[in-house]
Amino acid sequence: MNELTFEINSNEEIWELFDKELNTVFIHKFVPNEVIEWWKTDLKTQSGIELKNLSVRQMEMDVQTDLNGLKKILELNTRQLRIYQFDKPISDTLEIDRLPENNRKPILKQNGLKHFFFVNFEFITIGCFESEFISGIELNPKFEKRIAERKQRLTE
């Protein structure tokens, strides 16, 4: 897998990096509220049970959505996100945490993974099996200078 890490200035910039041809987005361990505080919400289970007016905190979940959902999630300005772009929906049985570390990337590739984005505060790491995707980002005028500066700092 080809990887690239550089500084990012905003979630609007992050949005520019996604492949708009891939509409299946998976966010691993999404935390909708960064601050540890209670908030009110309703919850509906797959079996149809509705729990109303719950107080929740530290909620963490896997989210499967499309590009429109991703755009809304990015508007939350979450500082840590693990975003995967697939070419098909993810099966119910695929659980990233249960995949063996040494086989994780090949298994995800078999299941349609195309790109991985790890947002960690002001840095983003992009992983991809296709070097052309990474090259396109490296040549983007908005990111080119930041990428070159980061690579230079790492070699010094």
Side-chain angles (χ1 to χ4, degrees):
M1 178 176 270
N2 303 293
E3 287 192 356
L4 176 65
T5 300
F6 59 97
E7 292 177 37
I8 202 80
N9 293 327
S10 69
N11 282 13
E12 290 82 27
E13 284 187 354
I14 294 168
W15 173 250
E16 293 178 38
L17 298 167
F18 291 96
D19 185 338
K20 304 309 186 289
E21 299 295 314
L22 299 172
N23 201 33
T24 302
V25 176
F26 175 74
I27 302 172
H28 184 51
K29 293 187 175 186
F30 175 62
V31 179
N33 193 356
E34 291 184 42
V35 179
I36 299 175
E37 63 185 0
W38 294 95
W39 78 92
K40 295 284 186 189
T41 192
D42 297 337
L43 180 67
K44 185 176 180 180
T45 67
Q46 186 177 0
S47 60
I49 296 171
E50 283 191 61
L51 303 169
K52 297 275 189 188
N53 203 28
L54 296 175
S55 292
V56 298
R57 71 174 178 192
Q58 294 181 301
M59 188 165 43
E60 176 183 280
M61 66 196 89
D62 288 343
V63 174
Q64 189 165 205
T65 188
D66 58 14
L67 289 169
N68 291 327
L70 173 62
K71 191 163 182 75
K72 289 178 184 175
I73 288 169
L74 288 173
E75 290 170 4
L76 295 173
N77 286 320
T78 304
R79 296 172 191 215
Q80 288 189 309
L81 291 168
R82 291 170 194 84
I83 305 166
Y84 297 78
Q85 266 194 306
F86 286 82
D87 64 3
K88 59 186 176 186
I90 299 142
S91 74
D92 291 345
T93 58
L94 181 66
E95 291 183 59
I96 291 177
D97 287 342
R98 294 185 183 208
L99 296 175
E101 183 67 37
N102 58 336
N103 289 335
R104 185 172 290 164
K105 290 176 185 173
I107 292 170
L108 290 173
K109 185 177 182 180
Q110 278 183 318
N111 281 274
L113 177 65
K114 295 296 181 182
H115 314 300
F116 166 74
F117 303 83
F118 176 49
V119 179
N120 191 15
F121 294 88
E122 72 272 11
F123 291 97
I124 187 165
T125 299
I126 302 165
C128 182
F129 296 105
E130 303 156 359
S131 59
E132 301 83 33
F133 185 76
I134 296 288
S135 297
I137 294 170
E138 289 175 320
L139 297 175
N140 182 316
K142 183 176 274 188
F143 307 114
E144 188 175 28
K145 185 177 177 185
R146 281 184 251 167
I147 292 167
E149 287 173 355
R150 178 163 172 81
K151 284 181 178 180
Q152 184 177 358
R153 281 194 305 262
L154 291 174
T155 59
E156 292 175 349

